[in-house]
Amino acid sequence: MSATARFRSIHAHGFVRVGAGTPLATVGDVAANAAGVVALAKQADAEGVDLLVLPELALSSYAIDDLHLQDAQLDRVESELGAIVAASQRLRPVLLVGAALRRNGRLYNTAVVVSRGHILGVVPKSYLPNYREYYEKRWFAPGHGLTGLDMTLCGQPVPFGPDLIFAAADLAGFIFHVEICEDYWAPLPPSTAGAMAGALILCNLSASNIIIGKARERALLAQSQSMRAIAAYCYSASGPGESTTDLAWDGQAMIHEAGVMLAESGRFGMDPELIAADVDIGRLRLERMRMGTFNDCAAANGHPETRFRTIGFKHEPHGADVGLRRPVARFPFVPADPRELDADCYEGFNIQVEGLVKRFQSTGGKAMVIGISGGLDSTHALIVAAKACDRLGLPRSTIRGYTLPGFATGEETKANAWALMRALGVTAEEIDIRPAARQMLTDMGHPFAGGEPVYDVTFENVQAGLRTDYLFRLANHHGGFVVGTGDLSELALGWCTYGVGDHMSHYGVNAGVPKTLIQYLIRWCVTTDQFDAETDRVLTAILGTEISPELVPADATGAIQSTESKIGPYELNDFFLHHVARLGLKPSKVAFLAWHAWKDTEGGLWPAGFPAELRNSYDLATIRRWLESFLFRFFTISQYKRSAVPNAPKVSGAGALSPRGDWRAPSDGNAKVWLDELAAALDGVEG
C-alpha cells in the first residue's frame, strides 16, 4: 500500500465506520425480513461500514405477539439466520441481527453477532418491559445473570449471555458491546458495565414504537449514555412495516460519540435506510485514560472486565480510502450551529467578566489598567473590563486605557484604539514609548540607534517590554492592577515576550480564550447590543483589521508586519491546539483531520456569519508546514512561558494552558517524538 493510500484510510487513524440500518419490516414474513437484512448488509459493505446495527427482532418482526411462540415461526427464524450467516462470508461488516431464539426450554429476545460466515455470539435482552403497551415477559425469558453459557445455533457452538464484548484482533480499539432496547431505559444499562469492561462502541438493537416526544427521549438516552460511558452509541429502531394494530413505528437511528450526534436517520420513511459515521475510537480511548473517574468507577464496581468474556475475531479491515464520514469542525472552539454559538459566546464572555469582577473586588484597587493597541485582544479585554465595571456599579472611568505607540504603530489601529476608549467612556491617555525605546537601544549599543534599519527580536522586545513596564508602574501610580490581553493561541505558540508584553499582567482575562473565539465574542457583543451603536461601529472596524504586533515598520512596498505570515494562520493553529493539547491525538491524525476539514471551502459547515471572502482552504503540504511549526513552538520553545503565566479563568472545555489547570509539561522538553511521527506518516504522501 502506498504512503498516500495508507494516510487516507480511516483505519490508519483509529476510526471505525459504524452503521445503523432500518430495513422495511413485515408482520412476521421472516424470509422478506432476512432479504431486507442482507440487502442492507450489502449496501453497508459497499459503503465501507465495519459494524452494522439492525433493529430488535428484525428477523421475526417485533409486533407479532403470540406468534413468537409458534414453532413454525421460530424454525424459519433459525433457517433464515443461517442464510444471513452464509451471505456474510462475502461481506466486511460485522452484523448485529435481532432474532427470537430458543435455548434450554426458553425463548430469548436476542442480538446475533455475525462476522464473515461465523456467529461470534448471542446476546439476550436483559430487561423485558411488561408495562403499558408492553408484554414481553409473556413470550421471552430475561437474559440478566446468564453468564458463562453457550448454545448451538446454525450448527455452530456459540457463546451466549449478556456477559460478552467483542474485539477485533486486527483493528485496535474495535471493541463493542450489545444491548437491546429496554436495556438502556434501565437505571443501570448493561452497556455501562460493558463500557467499563473495555467496549468503546455500544450498540442498541431496538424496536421501540413511537409516541409523541419519544424520539427526543431516545436521543437523550443515547447522547447521555455515550457521554457518561465515554463511548460511541449506535441505536437502530424498527421502521414502517411492523404491525400497527395498536402501535406505530418511525425507524429512528442515531450514532453518538461522547455526547455528540454524528449521524441520524430520517423518520417515517417508506424505504430502507442506512446511516453511517466514522467513530473515533482513538479519541475515546485517550479520553478514558485522561478521565480518572471512569476507571475509579470501574474499580468501585468490582472491575467489570473480570466478569465479561471477550470474544475475539478477525475483521480484516479494508484499509481503503473511503473518505471521512463525521463532522470535523474547522473551528473547534466556535460551534457552527447558531444557537450553540450564541450560548457559547454568552457563557464565555460572562466567565471572563465574572473572573475580572471577583479579582477586582479582592484587590481593593481603584483602577483597571489596560494597554489598548486597536487590535483584537486588547479590544476584547477592554470590553470585558467595561462590562465588569457595569456589573460592579462603577463608572467606566475606573478603567485607565493607554495607547502606547511605538516605531511601527499604524494610524488606523491607533485611531481605532482612541475611538473605542472614547465610545466606552474610559479614562484614556497616550504615552509615546519611542523616546524611551530609543534611549534603551542607544544604551545597549543597538544598530538601530545609529540609524541602521535593524529590526531584530531585541528591537521588537524593547518596545513590548517598555509597554508592560509603563502599564505596571501606571497601575502602582493609580492604585490599580494590569488587565492582561494575551490570548490562549499566543500562549500555545509562545507568541508573547517572556515576563513582559502580552505574557505578563496582574490578571489575564483572555488567557483561556483562543484567537478564533475572541473574534466571535466581539461579534457577539455587537449583534446582542451589549454596548451602544458607536462602540459597535468601532468594534466592527477592528474586526476588519489585519492581525499584526506592529513592532516592525512597514517594508518598502508598504506591507505591514503580519503575525500569521510568521507563525501560520490562527485558524489552523487553533485547530492544531485543540486536537493536540486537548485530545492528545497523534500529529498524523491531526493532519488527516485538518485536511478533511480545510481542503475544500464548499464542504462542511462554517460558523454563522463567517464572511465568505475570508473562507480559506489549505492543501496537505500547507497543513504539514504549519503543523510542524506548531509542534516545534508548542513542545520545544514555549512551555517555560506557560509555566509562569498569571491567573486567568478557564473559559473553554477545549482546555486551558495554565500549569495550575489543564496543562502540565516540562519547560525543557522537545518536539522530536511528534515531528518524527508526522514525518513517518506523511513522507511520500501526495495531496
Side-chain angles (χ1 to χ4, degrees), residues 588-642:
S588 61
K589 185 170 183 174
V590 177
F592 176 79
L593 290 169
W595 180 62
H596 276 284
W598 289 98
K599 64 181 178 179
D600 179 13
T601 58
E602 300 302 316
L605 298 174
W606 293 89
F610 196 92
E613 66 275 11
L614 298 180
R615 297 183 178 188
N616 297 315
S617 63
Y618 301 100
D619 60 21
L620 184 59
T622 303
I623 290 168
R624 178 177 181 176
R625 172 195 172 194
W626 291 121
L627 179 53
E628 287 173 340
S629 171
F630 174 87
L631 294 171
F632 174 73
R633 298 189 71 93
F634 185 80
F635 287 108
T636 301
I637 66 171
S638 303
Q639 180 58 40
Y640 76 100
K641 298 179 182 180
R642 295 189 290 270

Side-chain angles (χ1 to χ4, degrees), residues 543-675:
L543 284 168
T545 60
E546 182 173 359
I547 300 171
S548 172
E550 293 193 324
L551 293 171
V552 173
D555 62 20
T557 68
I560 67 169
Q561 185 182 18
S562 170
T563 297
E564 292 182 298
S565 66
K566 177 72 173 178
I567 61 174
Y570 274 114
E571 56 196 14
L572 283 183
N573 282 316
D574 282 356
F575 187 97
F576 302 152
L577 170 61
H578 171 73
H579 290 88
V580 172
R582 170 62 182 86
L583 301 182
L585 304 186
K586 293 186 293 187
S588 61
K589 185 170 183 174
V590 177
F592 176 79
L593 290 169
W595 180 62
H596 276 284
W598 289 98
K599 64 181 178 179
D600 179 13
T601 58
E602 300 302 316
L605 298 174
W606 293 89
F610 196 92
E613 66 275 11
L614 298 180
R615 297 183 178 188
N616 297 315
S617 63
Y618 301 100
D619 60 21
L620 184 59
T622 303
I623 290 168
R624 178 177 181 176
R625 172 195 172 194
W626 291 121
L627 179 53
E628 287 173 340
S629 171
F630 174 87
L631 294 171
F632 174 73
R633 298 189 71 93
F634 185 80
F635 287 108
T636 301
I637 66 171
S638 303
Q639 180 58 40
Y640 76 100
K641 298 179 182 180
R642 295 189 290 270
S643 295
V645 292
N647 296 160
K650 179 178 177 180
V651 174
S652 171
L657 294 176
S658 167
R660 299 171 296 277
D662 279 6
W663 186 256
R664 294 163 181 81
S667 294
D668 50 3
N670 65 81
K672 180 172 172 49
V673 167
W674 291 265
L675 292 170

Side-chain angles (χ1 to χ4, degrees), residues 210-563:
I210 186 62
I211 56 174
I212 292 172
K214 192 173 185 180
R216 293 191 297 272
E217 293 176 2
R218 297 179 191 135
L220 176 63
L221 288 170
Q223 179 185 25
S224 61
Q225 185 67 348
S226 74
M227 188 169 188
R228 184 178 294 110
I230 314 178
Y233 200 92
C234 184
Y235 176 93
S236 179
S238 297
E242 282 280 2
S243 172
T244 56
T245 300
D246 291 299
L247 306 172
W249 316 86
D250 65 332
Q252 185 176 20
M254 303 168 286
I255 302 170
H256 288 81
E257 177 186 296
V260 176
M261 174 87 77
L262 298 184
E264 60 181 327
S265 69
R267 297 168 55 220
F268 301 106
M270 296 304 295
D271 298 310
E273 186 169 3
L274 172 68
I275 63 169
D278 296 333
V279 170
D280 192 345
I281 51 179
R283 174 209 170 188
L284 295 170
R285 175 181 51 77
L286 284 164
E287 198 65 11
R288 287 185 181 178
M289 288 169 56
R290 185 175 288 109
M291 185 179 177
T293 301
F294 181 90
N295 296 301
D296 290 347
C297 187
N301 283 273
H303 296 290
E305 63 184 295
T306 63
R307 302 190 295 274
F308 273 79
R309 290 176 285 169
T310 299
I311 310 302
F313 64 98
K314 188 176 182 181
H315 181 53
E316 300 177 27
H318 51 72
D321 178 5
V322 291
L324 182 65
R325 285 200 188 181
R326 64 182 281 120
V328 182
R330 288 181 174 89
F331 298 88
F333 298 96
V334 184
D337 183 285
R339 292 168 298 180
E340 290 184 27
L341 179 57
D342 178 73
D344 283 10
C345 288
Y346 166 79
E347 289 183 333
F349 185 71
N350 281 284
I351 287 168
Q352 292 180 272
V353 172
E354 178 64 22
L356 187 55
V357 164
K358 174 61 178 176
R359 180 52 55 95
F360 189 71
Q361 288 176 319
S362 67
T363 63
K366 300 175 182 177
M368 303 178 196
V369 176
I370 309 179
I372 310 300
S373 68
L376 286 173
D377 293 345
S378 64
T379 292
H380 188 59
L382 181 57
I383 59 178
V384 167
K387 190 61 71 172
C389 285
D390 296 347
R391 193 164 295 176
L392 287 165
L394 297 172
R396 291 181 183 170
S397 57
T398 303
I399 303 167
R400 305 190 69 90
Y402 294 89
T403 179
L404 301 155
F407 296 118
T409 300
E411 290 302 319
E412 180 184 6
T413 52
K414 188 169 80 166
N416 283 338
W418 269 106
L420 183 62
M421 290 190 289
R422 291 190 182 107
L424 289 170
V426 307
T427 301
E429 295 186 47
E430 181 174 311
I431 298 175
D432 187 343
I433 68 167
R434 287 175 294 183
R438 199 177 301 275
Q439 181 62 52
M440 182 176 285
L441 290 166
T442 299
D443 293 343
M444 295 170 62
H446 191 275
F448 178 80
E452 296 182 44
V454 176
Y455 308 126
D456 56 9
V457 67
T458 304
F459 176 82
E460 293 189 45
N461 284 349
V462 162
Q463 297 172 79
L466 278 171
R467 285 176 174 142
T468 305
D469 286 342
Y470 273 113
L471 293 174
F472 272 94
R473 302 298 75 79
L474 287 163
N476 296 153
H477 185 53
H478 295 289
F481 70 90
V482 178
V483 178
T485 61
D487 64 45
L488 182 66
S489 306
E490 293 174 341
L491 282 173
L493 295 161
W495 194 246
C496 49
T497 308
Y498 183 81
V500 293
D502 289 345
H503 178 254
M504 193 49 60
S505 65
H506 288 116
Y507 193 69
V509 294
N510 288 342
V513 187
K515 189 79 76 178
T516 48
L517 181 56
I518 280 181
Q519 298 177 52
Y520 270 89
L521 289 168
I522 295 173
R523 286 193 182 99
W524 178 82
C525 287
V526 172
T527 58
T528 58
D529 297 320
Q530 298 296 312
F531 302 98
D532 60 22
E534 175 59 15
T535 302
D536 290 348
R537 183 195 67 77
V538 181
L539 292 176
T540 302
I542 291 170
L543 284 168
T545 60
E546 182 173 359
I547 300 171
S548 172
E550 293 193 324
L551 293 171
V552 173
D555 62 20
T557 68
I560 67 169
Q561 185 182 18
S562 170
T563 297

